[in-house]
């Protein structure tokens, strides 16, 4: 087996891998043994026809595809281990030569990790983040807690008002024809939530319980159901019930009910302290983000498109897993949102590029600063993981293995680079 490497533009490389004729023949024989039971040859019991007879009847290429599928991943992985380049994308494979009795040759076009030319990264100027907690901030947080502890009270002596929670029957039609999903009974709706078609909820204000009302709206041009997009619709509606949220009084009793404090003033002080800690944490994160963005802006690198595509696919896979954990398939998500795979990829592309740029620059800074991670620091991280997963530290280390420990050290170096950028950044 041999490898030739050709550097291409924009940090791409073409690897030409040649597998000996003997190895190709072994792969052909393996393909024959795997498939012979599926092939019928007149005069032979199924699975008993010799390979030469099968190749004579169907052509020598009958086993080429399976042989190639066996050889390509194995040969590619073996040669990548010997390649001096750091490859950072899935390969684009093209078979160059596949012929019985000859070496098997294929190419793999793949992205190479770009080199980064760092600009200024110490003492960068970043926007100052306000961390002061105002009385309004405290009141907003307390009101949010009051909302959580509100009770629902039925109202039957007045018409619908903005903010009311109602139970609603509706029956919709377009050009007099009912449409799927256009009918419901006792549907829960909060007026002013914007959860219905624009203009729908406003037309229910002023209507009383039991009163019939005809709501006329037009579906948005970008509505997810194409057959309804842009079309006028009529909904025959009836309000069955009206209820409102009744917030608890803001007093000592409220403080005692929802916290460990005896008085409202003590509770307010604790809320202020919590908000201050939250703002400090957010400000630290904002300073980090701004400093890293500035360091990236000052750096130069040529990122291959294949690397971005790989990051997008990884992000899409992560997104699909999150959707599925919520009980939805990706197909259902696309149906509900009007999204498709192409739109999703395009939407993710800027974030994918940003993640790659951040990672490359931080790794370059860590290398330039010659950060070293002590064994004590590694042990500290392992202890944190062990505590998090309720495991013994030795078991965590065993599960991580050498590759996992190397990745941990790499991640810690990157975090050290983030800390450096943040700590030396000047807020203006």
């Amino acid at each position: 087996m041999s490898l030739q490497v050709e550097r291409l533009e924009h940090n791409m490389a073409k690897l030409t891998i040649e597998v000996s004729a003997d190895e190709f023949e072994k792969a052909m024989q393996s393909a024959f043994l795997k498939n012979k039971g599926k092939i019928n040859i007149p005069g032979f019991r199924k699975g008993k026809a010799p390979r030469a007879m099968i190749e004579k009847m169907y052509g020598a290429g009958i086993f080429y595809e399976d042989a190639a599928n066996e050889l390509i991943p194995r040969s590619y992985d073996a040669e990548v281990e010997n390649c001096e380049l750091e490859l950072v994308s899935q390969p684009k494979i093209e078979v160059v030569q596949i012929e019985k009795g000859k070496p098997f040759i294929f190419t793999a076009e793949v992205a190479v990790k770009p080199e980064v030319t760092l600009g200024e990264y110490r003492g960068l100027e970043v926007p100052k983040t306000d961390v002061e907690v105002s009385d309004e901030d405290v009141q907003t947080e307390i009101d949010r807690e009051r909302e959580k502890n509100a009770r629902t009270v039925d109202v039957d002596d007045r018409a619908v008002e903005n903010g009311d929670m109602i139970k609603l029957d509706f029956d919709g039609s377009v050009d007099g024809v009912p449409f799927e999903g256009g009918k419901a009974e006792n549907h829960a709706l909060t007026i002013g939530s914007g959860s219905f078609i624009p203009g729908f909820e406003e037309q229910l204000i002023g209507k009383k319980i039991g009163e019939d009302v005809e709501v006329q709206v037009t579906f948005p041009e970008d509505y997810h159901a194409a057959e309804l997009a842009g079309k006028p619709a009529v909904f025959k509606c009836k309000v069955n019930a009206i209820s409102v949220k009744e917030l608890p009084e803001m007093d000592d009793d409220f403080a005692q009910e929802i916290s460990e404090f005896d008085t409202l003033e003590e509770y307010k002080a604790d809320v202020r302290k919590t908000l201050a800690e939250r703002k400090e944490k957010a400000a630290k994160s904002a300073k980090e983000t701004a400093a890293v963005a500035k360091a990236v802006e000052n750096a130069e690198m040529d990122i291959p498109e294949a690397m971005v595509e790989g990051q997008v696919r990884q992000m899409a896979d992560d997104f699909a897993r999150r959707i599925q954990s919520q009980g939805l398939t990706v197909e259902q998500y696309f149906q509900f949102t009007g999204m498709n795979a192409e739109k999703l990829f395009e939407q993710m592309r800027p974030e994918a590029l940003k993640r790659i740029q951040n990672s490359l620059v931080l790794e370059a800074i860590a290398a330039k600063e010659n950060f070293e991670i002590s064994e004590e620091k590694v042990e500290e991280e392992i202890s944190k993981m062990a505590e998090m997963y309720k495991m013994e530290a030795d078991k965590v280390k065993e599960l991580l293995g050498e590759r996992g420990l190397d990745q941990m050290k790499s991640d810690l170096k990157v975090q050290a680079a983030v800390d450096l950028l943040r700590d030396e950044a000047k807020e203006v």
Side-chain angles (χ1 to χ4, degrees):
M1 195 154 55
S2 65
L3 169 69
Q4 291 182 348
V5 179
E6 178 187 357
R7 293 298 298 263
L8 306 176
E9 292 182 332
H10 305 302
N11 286 308
M12 295 294 291
K14 180 187 281 189
L15 313 184
T16 301
I17 298 171
E18 181 175 320
V19 182
S20 70
D22 287 344
E23 285 299 310
F24 180 54
E25 171 56 29
K26 289 177 184 176
M28 289 276 284
Q29 180 65 14
S30 175
F32 159 68
L33 294 173
K34 184 175 73 172
N35 291 289
K36 66 179 183 177
K38 307 172 189 175
I39 301 172
N40 287 316
I41 297 289
F44 293 90
R45 283 185 297 140
K46 197 169 185 178
K48 297 299 181 181
R51 178 179 153 192
M53 186 63 71
I54 295 173
E55 290 178 338
K56 183 175 182 181
M57 175 165 282
Y58 292 102
I62 185 172
F63 300 120
Y64 282 179
E65 183 176 351
D66 282 343
N69 288 340
E70 178 185 327
L71 285 174
I72 288 172
R74 188 174 72 210
S75 306
Y76 177 80
D77 289 346
E79 290 301 333
V80 164
E81 287 291 324
N82 301 322
C83 183
E84 294 180 357
L85 301 177
E86 189 171 350
L87 308 180
V88 290
S89 75
Q90 290 297 312
K92 182 181 178 183
I93 301 295
E94 184 176 337
V95 174
V96 175
Q97 177 173 288
I98 184 166
E99 188 176 342
K100 189 176 180 181
K102 293 185 178 180
F104 172 64
I105 304 173
F106 68 96
T107 61
E109 196 168 307
V110 64
V112 178
K113 185 175 181 178
E115 291 186 8
V116 176
T117 303
L118 291 171
E120 289 295 325
Y121 61 87
R122 285 177 174 271
L124 299 172
E125 292 187 348
V126 298
K128 186 176 179 62
T129 304
D130 180 24
V131 294
E132 184 180 347
V133 178
S134 67
D135 292 342
E136 185 181 349
D137 292 333
V138 174
Q139 188 60 53
T140 299
E141 186 68 19
I142 292 174
D143 286 342
R144 189 177 293 120
E145 205 59 43
R146 292 172 72 204
E147 282 279 348
K148 290 180 187 176
N149 289 272
R151 66 190 186 102
T152 302
V153 179
D154 291 333
V155 175
D156 56 13
D157 59 350
R158 64 167 175 77
V160 174
E161 296 179 1
N162 193 38
D164 285 350
M165 298 174 290
I166 67 171
K167 292 290 180 66
L168 177 72
D169 292 346
F170 61 83
D171 190 356
S173 61
V174 171
D175 297 330
V177 180
F179 55 88
E180 186 178 353
K183 183 176 182 179
E185 294 182 356
N186 278 328
H187 181 84
L189 172 65
T190 299
I191 302 300
S193 64
S195 54
F196 268 42
I197 304 162
F200 185 101
E201 295 167 26
E202 292 85 345
Q203 295 179 56
L204 298 174
I205 294 175
K207 307 306 175 184
K208 295 182 177 179
I209 293 173
E211 183 179 350
D212 292 323
V213 57
E214 195 172 87
V215 173
Q216 299 184 14
V217 293
T218 300
F219 282 98
E221 292 291 343
D222 60 352
Y223 193 67
H224 64 83
E227 68 275 10
L228 299 176
K231 292 188 177 180
V234 176
F235 287 84
K236 294 179 179 179
C237 303
K238 185 173 73 172
V239 176
N240 296 326
I242 303 172
S243 58
V244 295
K245 280 184 178 180
E246 189 174 89
L247 301 180
E249 290 294 325
M250 204 171 69
D251 53 22
D252 290 346
D253 289 339
F254 169 68
Q256 291 166 16
E257 185 178 336
I258 62 118
S259 75
E260 61 188 32
F261 300 101
D262 293 327
T263 68
L264 180 62
E265 289 308 309
E266 288 175 317
Y267 172 59
K268 279 186 176 181
D270 185 68
V271 169
R272 186 179 294 276
K273 177 185 175 186
T274 300
L275 289 176
E277 290 171 352
R278 193 183 300 168
K279 281 200 169 189
E280 288 285 352
K281 186 176 180 181
K284 179 181 176 182
S285 178
K287 188 178 180 183
E288 285 180 359
T289 300
V292 171
K294 204 70 177 286
V296 168
E297 185 183 326
N298 292 343
E300 293 180 9
M301 65 202 104
D302 184 6
I303 298 175
E305 183 60 30
M307 193 177 183
V308 179
E309 289 174 359
Q311 182 66 47
V312 168
R313 280 194 297 272
Q314 182 180 323
M315 290 169 61
D317 288 343
D318 291 342
F319 175 76
R321 281 190 287 272
R322 288 197 304 273
I323 288 292
Q324 287 162 3
S325 71
Q326 297 168 17
L328 280 177
T329 65
V330 176
E331 290 72 22
Q332 287 171 325
Y333 172 80
F334 286 161
Q335 181 182 352
F336 295 154
T337 61
M339 184 74 74
N340 57 38
E342 186 177 348
K343 286 181 183 177
L344 181 65
F345 291 166
E346 190 60 32
Q347 193 178 81
M348 289 178 167
R349 193 181 187 286
E351 177 61 22
L353 178 60
K354 180 181 173 182
R355 289 186 187 185
I356 293 169
Q357 290 172 328
N358 288 358
S359 178
L360 290 173
V361 168
L362 290 170
E363 286 176 9
I365 291 172
K368 186 172 181 179
E369 294 290 333
N370 198 27
F371 289 136
E372 292 296 334
I373 305 301
S374 67
E375 288 305 316
E376 289 78 11
K377 182 64 175 174
V378 172
E379 292 296 331
E380 181 183 327
E381 290 300 311
I382 289 172
S383 295
K384 288 179 184 177
M385 291 179 67
E387 185 176 348
M388 183 186 303
Y389 295 110
K390 310 298 182 189
M391 298 171 62
E392 295 292 329
D394 288 343
K395 185 63 177 178
V396 172
K397 193 180 293 187
E398 180 186 335
L399 290 172
L400 285 172
E402 286 300 320
R403 183 172 293 184
L405 289 172
D406 287 343
Q407 184 60 53
M408 177 185 286
K409 290 178 181 178
S410 177
D411 292 343
L412 289 171
K413 288 179 182 179
V414 166
Q415 185 56 52
V418 173
D419 294 342
L420 172 71
L421 291 177
R422 182 196 65 238
D423 294 343
E424 296 206 357
K426 302 170 185 175
E427 292 182 308
V428 295

